[in-house]
mmCIF file of all heavy atoms in Angstrom:
data_model
loop_
_atom_site.group_PDB
_atom_site.id
_atom_site.type_symbol
_atom_site.label_atom_id
_atom_site.label_comp_id
_atom_site.label_asym_id
_atom_site.label_seq_id
_atom_site.Cartn_x
_atom_site.Cartn_y
_atom_site.Cartn_z
ATOM 1 N N GLY A 82 3.825 4.917 9.471
ATOM 2 C CA GLY A 82 3.835 6.267 9.011
ATOM 3 C C GLY A 82 3.453 6.446 7.523
ATOM 4 O O GLY A 82 3.805 7.355 6.917
ATOM 5 N N ILE A 83 2.552 5.566 7.106
ATOM 6 C CA ILE A 83 2.079 5.653 5.718
ATOM 7 C C ILE A 83 0.655 5.528 5.678
ATOM 8 O O ILE A 83 -0.054 5.105 6.613
ATOM 9 C CB ILE A 83 2.714 4.554 4.925
ATOM 10 C CG1 ILE A 83 2.207 3.146 5.436
ATOM 11 C CG2 ILE A 83 4.133 4.525 4.680
ATOM 12 C CD1 ILE A 83 2.483 1.972 4.470
ATOM 13 N N THR A 84 -0.066 5.998 4.599
ATOM 14 C CA THR A 84 -1.470 5.802 4.352
ATOM 15 C C THR A 84 -1.639 4.593 3.430
ATOM 16 O O THR A 84 -1.125 4.424 2.446
ATOM 17 C CB THR A 84 -2.083 7.053 3.693
ATOM 18 O OG1 THR A 84 -1.821 8.111 4.545
ATOM 19 C CG2 THR A 84 -3.517 6.841 3.449
ATOM 20 N N ILE A 85 -2.547 3.632 3.973
ATOM 21 C CA ILE A 85 -2.743 2.389 3.345
ATOM 22 C C ILE A 85 -4.029 2.419 2.582
ATOM 23 O O ILE A 85 -4.255 2.080 1.447
ATOM 24 C CB ILE A 85 -2.658 1.231 4.254
ATOM 25 C CG1 ILE A 85 -1.225 1.114 4.743
ATOM 26 C CG2 ILE A 85 -3.091 -0.049 3.668
ATOM 27 C CD1 ILE A 85 -1.024 0.082 5.952
ATOM 28 N N SER A 86 -5.171 2.874 3.281
ATOM 29 C CA SER A 86 -6.564 2.831 2.650
ATOM 30 C C SER A 86 -7.022 4.297 2.500
ATOM 31 O O SER A 86 -6.675 5.175 3.429
ATOM 32 C CB SER A 86 -7.504 2.024 3.588
ATOM 33 O OG SER A 86 -7.482 2.577 4.802
ATOM 34 N N ALA A 87 -7.635 4.557 1.507
ATOM 35 C CA ALA A 87 -8.142 5.932 1.181
ATOM 36 C C ALA A 87 -9.318 6.038 2.168
ATOM 37 O O ALA A 87 -10.211 5.278 2.255
ATOM 38 C CB ALA A 87 -8.701 5.912 -0.166
ATOM 39 N N LYS A 88 -9.438 7.221 2.790
ATOM 40 C CA LYS A 88 -10.371 7.621 3.811
ATOM 41 C C LYS A 88 -11.025 8.884 3.436
ATOM 42 O O LYS A 88 -10.386 9.744 2.936
ATOM 43 C CB LYS A 88 -9.776 7.565 5.186
ATOM 44 C CG LYS A 88 -9.357 6.165 5.652
ATOM 45 C CD LYS A 88 -8.686 6.141 7.030
ATOM 46 C CE LYS A 88 -7.343 6.554 6.873
ATOM 47 N NZ LYS A 88 -6.343 5.723 6.170
ATOM 48 N N ASN A 89 -12.281 9.157 4.004
ATOM 49 C CA ASN A 89 -13.011 10.394 3.743
ATOM 50 C C ASN A 89 -13.283 11.087 4.930
ATOM 51 O O ASN A 89 -13.354 10.520 6.013
ATOM 52 C CB ASN A 89 -14.364 9.951 3.050
ATOM 53 C CG ASN A 89 -14.213 9.049 1.840
ATOM 54 O OD1 ASN A 89 -13.128 8.836 1.435
ATOM 55 N ND2 ASN A 89 -15.337 8.537 1.363
ATOM 56 N N CYS A 90 -13.414 12.483 4.811
ATOM 57 C CA CYS A 90 -13.779 13.320 5.785
ATOM 58 C C CYS A 90 -14.257 14.572 5.260
ATOM 59 O O CYS A 90 -14.239 14.838 4.065
ATOM 60 C CB CYS A 90 -12.669 13.555 6.843
ATOM 61 S SG CYS A 90 -11.175 14.375 6.095
ATOM 62 N N SER A 91 -14.716 15.598 6.168
ATOM 63 C CA SER A 91 -15.066 16.900 5.562
ATOM 64 C C SER A 91 -14.798 18.045 6.448
ATOM 65 O O SER A 91 -14.658 17.781 7.737
ATOM 66 C CB SER A 91 -16.603 16.847 5.135
ATOM 67 O OG SER A 91 -17.316 16.852 6.405
ATOM 68 N N VAL A 92 -14.575 19.117 5.896
ATOM 69 C CA VAL A 92 -14.408 20.370 6.736
ATOM 70 C C VAL A 92 -15.319 21.433 6.050
ATOM 71 O O VAL A 92 -15.806 21.362 4.987
ATOM 72 C CB VAL A 92 -12.892 20.975 6.794
ATOM 73 C CG1 VAL A 92 -12.061 19.931 7.465
ATOM 74 C CG2 VAL A 92 -12.441 21.247 5.327
ATOM 75 N N TYR A 93 -15.593 22.585 6.811
ATOM 76 C CA TYR A 93 -16.357 23.631 6.277
ATOM 77 C C TYR A 93 -15.611 24.876 6.189
ATOM 78 O O TYR A 93 -14.723 25.197 7.114
ATOM 79 C CB TYR A 93 -17.639 23.863 7.166
ATOM 80 C CG TYR A 93 -18.733 22.856 6.858
ATOM 81 C CD1 TYR A 93 -18.618 21.666 7.604
ATOM 82 C CD2 TYR A 93 -19.722 23.040 5.915
ATOM 83 C CE1 TYR A 93 -19.686 20.765 7.400
ATOM 84 C CE2 TYR A 93 -20.751 22.201 5.754
ATOM 85 C CZ TYR A 93 -20.690 20.959 6.469
ATOM 86 O OH TYR A 93 -21.719 19.970 6.295
ATOM 87 N N PHE A 94 -15.785 25.737 5.114
ATOM 88 C CA PHE A 94 -15.065 26.945 4.962
ATOM 89 C C PHE A 94 -16.000 27.939 4.226
ATOM 90 O O PHE A 94 -16.479 27.551 3.155
ATOM 91 C CB PHE A 94 -13.727 26.893 4.189
ATOM 92 C CG PHE A 94 -12.974 28.123 4.062
ATOM 93 C CD1 PHE A 94 -12.276 28.652 5.174
ATOM 94 C CD2 PHE A 94 -12.937 28.880 2.918
ATOM 95 C CE1 PHE A 94 -11.613 29.804 5.090
ATOM 96 C CE2 PHE A 94 -12.286 30.045 2.803
ATOM 97 C CZ PHE A 94 -11.607 30.651 3.888
ATOM 98 N N LYS A 95 -16.466 28.952 4.923
ATOM 99 C CA LYS A 95 -17.408 29.968 4.296
ATOM 100 C C LYS A 95 -18.678 29.226 3.803
ATOM 101 O O LYS A 95 -19.083 29.518 2.671
ATOM 102 C CB LYS A 95 -16.710 30.705 3.204
ATOM 103 C CG LYS A 95 -15.661 31.670 3.570
ATOM 104 C CD LYS A 95 -15.030 32.532 2.368
ATOM 105 C CE LYS A 95 -13.960 33.433 2.858
ATOM 106 N NZ LYS A 95 -13.351 34.162 1.692
ATOM 107 N N ASP A 96 -19.274 28.422 4.676
ATOM 108 C CA ASP A 96 -20.513 27.728 4.362
ATOM 109 C C ASP A 96 -20.350 26.676 3.274
ATOM 110 O O ASP A 96 -21.356 26.236 2.751
ATOM 111 C CB ASP A 96 -21.725 28.751 4.024
ATOM 112 C CG ASP A 96 -21.964 29.520 5.284
ATOM 113 O OD1 ASP A 96 -21.892 29.093 6.391
ATOM 114 O OD2 ASP A 96 -22.383 30.743 5.099
ATOM 115 N N THR A 97 -19.156 26.549 2.777
ATOM 116 C CA THR A 97 -19.016 25.387 1.752
ATOM 117 C C THR A 97 -18.402 24.186 2.355
ATOM 118 O O THR A 97 -17.410 24.168 3.174
ATOM 119 C CB THR A 97 -18.051 25.949 0.683
ATOM 120 O OG1 THR A 97 -18.601 27.119 0.116
ATOM 121 C CG2 THR A 97 -17.835 24.953 -0.551
ATOM 122 N N LYS A 98 -18.970 22.997 2.087
ATOM 123 C CA LYS A 98 -18.483 21.772 2.522
ATOM 124 C C LYS A 98 -17.438 21.271 1.729
ATOM 125 O O LYS A 98 -17.537 21.106 0.431
ATOM 126 C CB LYS A 98 -19.703 20.783 2.690
ATOM 127 C CG LYS A 98 -19.263 19.407 3.243
ATOM 128 C CD LYS A 98 -20.387 18.472 3.192
ATOM 129 C CE LYS A 98 -20.120 17.148 3.802
ATOM 130 N NZ LYS A 98 -21.190 16.132 3.706
ATOM 131 N N ILE A 99 -16.209 21.018 2.345
ATOM 132 C CA ILE A 99 -15.073 20.430 1.506
ATOM 133 C C ILE A 99 -14.918 18.902 1.870
ATOM 134 O O ILE A 99 -14.489 18.650 3.045
ATOM 135 C CB ILE A 99 -13.825 21.215 1.721
ATOM 136 C CG1 ILE A 99 -13.975 22.710 1.332
ATOM 137 C CG2 ILE A 99 -12.670 20.674 0.843
ATOM 138 C CD1 ILE A 99 -12.855 23.700 1.750
ATOM 139 N N ASN A 100 -15.278 18.082 1.049
ATOM 140 C CA ASN A 100 -14.939 16.632 1.326
ATOM 141 C C ASN A 100 -13.548 16.230 0.950
ATOM 142 O O ASN A 100 -13.084 16.600 -0.172
ATOM 143 C CB ASN A 100 -15.993 15.704 0.511
ATOM 144 C CG ASN A 100 -17.334 15.665 0.989
ATOM 145 O OD1 ASN A 100 -17.630 15.598 2.108
ATOM 146 N ND2 ASN A 100 -18.361 15.868 0.056
ATOM 147 N N ILE A 101 -12.834 15.693 1.838
ATOM 148 C CA ILE A 101 -11.360 15.453 1.619
ATOM 149 C C ILE A 101 -11.144 13.993 1.603
ATOM 150 O O ILE A 101 -11.595 13.255 2.497
ATOM 151 C CB ILE A 101 -10.471 16.040 2.736
ATOM 152 C CG1 ILE A 101 -10.806 17.617 2.782
ATOM 153 C CG2 ILE A 101 -9.008 15.775 2.536
ATOM 154 C CD1 ILE A 101 -10.055 18.213 4.001
ATOM 155 N N LEU A 102 -10.418 13.464 0.550
ATOM 156 C CA LEU A 102 -10.074 12.097 0.431
ATOM 157 C C LEU A 102 -8.627 11.971 0.629
ATOM 158 O O LEU A 102 -7.827 12.494 -0.194
ATOM 159 C CB LEU A 102 -10.551 11.498 -0.838
ATOM 160 C CG LEU A 102 -12.085 11.013 -0.920
ATOM 161 C CD1 LEU A 102 -13.002 12.231 -1.028
ATOM 162 C CD2 LEU A 102 -12.313 10.008 -2.022
#
Side-chain angles (χ1 to χ4, degrees):
I83 60 169
T84 300
I85 292 169
S86 61
K88 290 174 286 293
N89 309 352
C90 62
S91 70
V92 297
Y93 283 88
F94 184 74
K95 292 183 178 175
D96 298 326
T97 302
K98 182 183 183 183
I99 303 172
N100 285 315
I101 301 170
L102 278 76

